[in-house]
């Protein structure tokens, strides 16, 4: 089971690019990397998922090096509404529908004006 | 479309009272189901997960239990609540091999044990 490690907190200013890195040294061959965003009193919301290299969607990019032992969520030009907790989650979503999915401690991102 | 519902949204219970939280999923078959708990200011703790009817894997202390009586129904229970059971409970599901791998969460149930 791949354990994840992230910074506990990060600060940024509006308009800046924010990069949050997650370590997952014992990631398995079938594991995918998924990132979630959580606001207070809400369930986490899916942001992006990838297996290797780079994935981009309308809200974020995900960079995964060749060894897949880490991943970086990149949020371009953050706004105050991006203030939230961000979780990296690693799991075998396709062959095992995820199975046992354990979230790490998450990164609390604070965006200031 | 796929949806997930859990209830009640909020409840206040005395120590030693029973608990029942219910979660149902619509629009998908044979999902993996999960119960998580989030204490104030803390991360998500996995309590139980289920890969099929009657199949429950437990990650938590003995005073909580889970059941899956139907394919898309997941119930979290306790016979006697503790103060430490207070928190925000989240039900979630993942939808299978053809899915995106996304984990979908319910609206959450906030439990206060007094």
């Amino acid at each position: 089971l791949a354990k994840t490690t992230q910074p506990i907190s990060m600060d940024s200013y509006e308009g800046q690019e924010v990069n949050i890195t997650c370590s997952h040294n014992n990631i398995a061959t079938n594991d995918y990397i998924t990132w979630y965003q959580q606001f207070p009193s809400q369930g986490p919301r899916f942001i992006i998922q990838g297996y290797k290299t780079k994935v981009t969607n309308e809200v974020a990019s995900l960079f995964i090096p060749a060894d897949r032992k880490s991943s970086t969520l990149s949020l371009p030009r953050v706004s105050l509404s991006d203030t939230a907790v961000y979780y990296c989650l690693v799991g075998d979503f396709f062959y095992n529908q995820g199975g046992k999915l354990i979230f790490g401690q998450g990164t609390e991102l604070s965006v200031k004006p | 479309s796929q949806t997930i519902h859990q209830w009640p949204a909020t409840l206040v219970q005395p120590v030693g009272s029973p608990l029942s939280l219910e979660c149902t999923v619509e629009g998908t078959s044979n999902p993996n189901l999960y119960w998580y708990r989030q204490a104030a200011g803390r991360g998500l703790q996995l309590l139980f997960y289920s890969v099929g009817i009657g199949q429950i894997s437990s990650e938590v202390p003995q005073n909580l239990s889970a059941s899956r009586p139907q394919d898309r129904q997941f119930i979290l229970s306790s016979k006697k609540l503790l103060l430490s059971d207070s928190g925000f409970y989240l039900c979630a599901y993942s939808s299978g091999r053809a899915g995106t791998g996304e984990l979908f969460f319910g609206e959450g149930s906030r439990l206060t044990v007094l």
Side-chain angles (χ1 to χ4, degrees):
Chain A
L1 195 65
K3 179 182 177 181
T4 60
T5 303
Q6 303 172 232
I8 293 176
S9 63
M10 295 181 67
D11 291 330
S12 182
Y13 291 93
E14 283 190 292
Q16 289 186 333
E17 178 184 75
V18 171
N19 295 309
I20 306 174
T21 297
C22 178
S23 297
H24 27 80
N25 290 321
N26 59 339
I27 188 169
T29 301
N30 290 338
D31 284 345
Y32 279 69
I33 301 155
T34 311
W35 284 80
Y36 290 82
Q37 176 191 55
Q38 186 184 25
F39 297 112
S41 297
Q42 295 183 24
R45 182 174 65 102
F46 173 89
I47 300 174
I48 196 167
Q49 178 177 275
Y51 184 80
K52 62 180 178 181
T53 63
K54 176 183 176 182
V55 179
T56 297
N57 62 21
E58 63 276 8
V59 298
S61 295
L62 178 60
F63 298 92
I64 305 168
D67 66 6
R68 305 202 324 122
K69 293 183 182 299
S70 66
S71 59
T72 299
L73 174 72
S74 181
L75 304 172
R77 299 179 299 280
V78 295
S79 64
L80 295 176
S81 63
D82 292 317
T83 294
V85 178
Y86 293 82
Y87 294 95
C88 158
L89 181 65
V90 175
D92 180 4
F93 290 101
F94 288 87
Y95 294 96
N96 195 31
Q97 298 179 207
K100 180 176 179 178
L101 294 174
I102 295 179
F103 284 82
Q105 61 186 3
T107 298
E108 187 170 8
L109 173 66
S110 177
V111 180
K112 302 174 182 178
Chain B
S1 62
Q2 300 173 6
T3 57
I4 177 170
H5 302 285
Q6 64 174 107
W7 66 93
T10 306
L11 65 167
V12 180
Q13 297 285 104
V15 170
S17 65
L19 170 73
S20 180
L21 300 179
E22 188 164 343
C23 173
T24 59
V25 178
E26 298 175 358
T28 188
S29 298
N30 195 31
N32 275 12
L33 297 172
Y34 302 84
W35 278 111
Y36 289 91
R37 178 172 64 195
Q38 192 165 36
R42 302 285 182 89
L44 292 157
Q45 178 191 16
L46 177 63
L47 303 179
F48 301 93
Y49 71 100
S50 171
V51 299
I53 296 175
Q55 300 179 61
I56 310 292
S57 297
S58 172
E59 302 289 315
V60 292
Q62 298 298 312
N63 73 308
L64 293 175
S65 62
S67 62
R68 185 172 178 173
Q70 300 180 47
D71 181 43
R72 292 171 289 178
Q73 184 185 25
F74 206 23
I75 299 172
L76 181 70
S77 304
S78 175
K79 293 182 179 178
K80 290 185 177 181
L81 284 169
L82 307 173
L83 286 174
S84 58
D85 291 325
S86 292
F88 189 50
Y89 289 78
L90 287 158
C91 180
Y93 77 96
S94 61
S95 62
R97 296 179 182 181
T100 63
E102 182 174 351
L103 197 60
F104 297 88
F105 284 84
E107 305 92 343
S109 299
R110 186 165 300 282
L111 169 66
T112 302
V113 182
L114 302 175

